[in-house]
Amino acid sequence: MRETISSERCITILEQFVSTQLELEDRPRIEWFIQDGARPHRTEKVFRFLVEYFGDRVIPLDYPKFTGTEMDWPPFSPDLTPWDYFLWGALKDTVYRNRPSTLDELESAICVACNSISFETLKDVMSN
């Protein structure tokens, strides 16, 4: 995705995610939603969307302030986000190994890196 992520674009992405979740019949739906602390993810519009779909089962930065809940789980806790502590770092190392210098090279490197992740690695990340 090459567009700048605004709160409106973030909501569009979340709507697509939620509609996919609602269509899942053979798997349980996401019970908790975790997102990072990027500014477009922490706007009132995005939080209202999250409240509507997930209620108090959301773990992002500043959400408790918005909702008035006392949920104090940190959004970057290693027990909640193993991909932040392993997978993203491994992907970043792979992507930047050849030092892409253009947006096209960067996009290609990201695709190659993502496609190189084995099913076993993804399974291990999810089980941890």
Side-chain angles (χ1 to χ4, degrees):
M1 171 181 323
R2 291 187 177 204
E3 304 93 38
T4 300
I5 301 296
S6 63
S7 61
E8 289 77 17
R9 181 74 179 127
C10 183
I11 290 171
T12 300
I13 294 166
L14 288 169
E15 286 170 339
Q16 292 169 349
F17 172 78
V18 167
S19 68
T20 300
Q21 287 296 306
L22 292 173
E23 291 173 10
L24 294 178
E25 295 177 9
D26 59 338
R27 289 181 270 163
R29 288 183 19 202
I30 297 292
E31 292 298 323
W32 285 85
F33 184 79
I34 304 170
Q35 75 178 18
D36 65 16
R39 287 201 184 274
H41 301 169
R42 297 182 351 228
T43 66
E44 184 173 339
K45 288 179 182 179
V46 171
F47 284 165
R48 287 195 189 288
F49 179 88
L50 294 174
V51 165
E52 183 179 323
Y53 186 72
F54 293 102
D56 63 353
R57 300 178 327 271
V58 180
I59 308 169
L61 189 62
D62 291 336
Y63 194 68
K65 292 178 194 172
F66 174 78
T67 61
T69 63
E70 295 301 321
M71 184 187 334
D72 53 0
W73 285 1
F76 303 111
S77 174
D79 60 327
L80 297 174
T81 56
W83 44 88
D84 279 341
Y85 291 89
F86 166 71
L87 192 56
W88 294 140
L91 279 172
K92 185 176 175 183
D93 290 345
T94 303
V95 167
Y96 288 103
R97 185 172 296 132
N98 293 324
R99 299 186 178 164
S101 59
T102 67
L103 191 54
D104 287 334
E105 288 176 6
L106 178 61
E107 186 176 283
S108 177
I110 291 169
C111 290
V112 167
C114 289
N115 288 327
S116 72
I117 302 169
S118 71
F119 178 76
E120 283 301 313
T121 298
L122 291 175
K123 209 165 100 174
D124 289 346
V125 169
M126 293 303 294
S127 68
N128 284 314

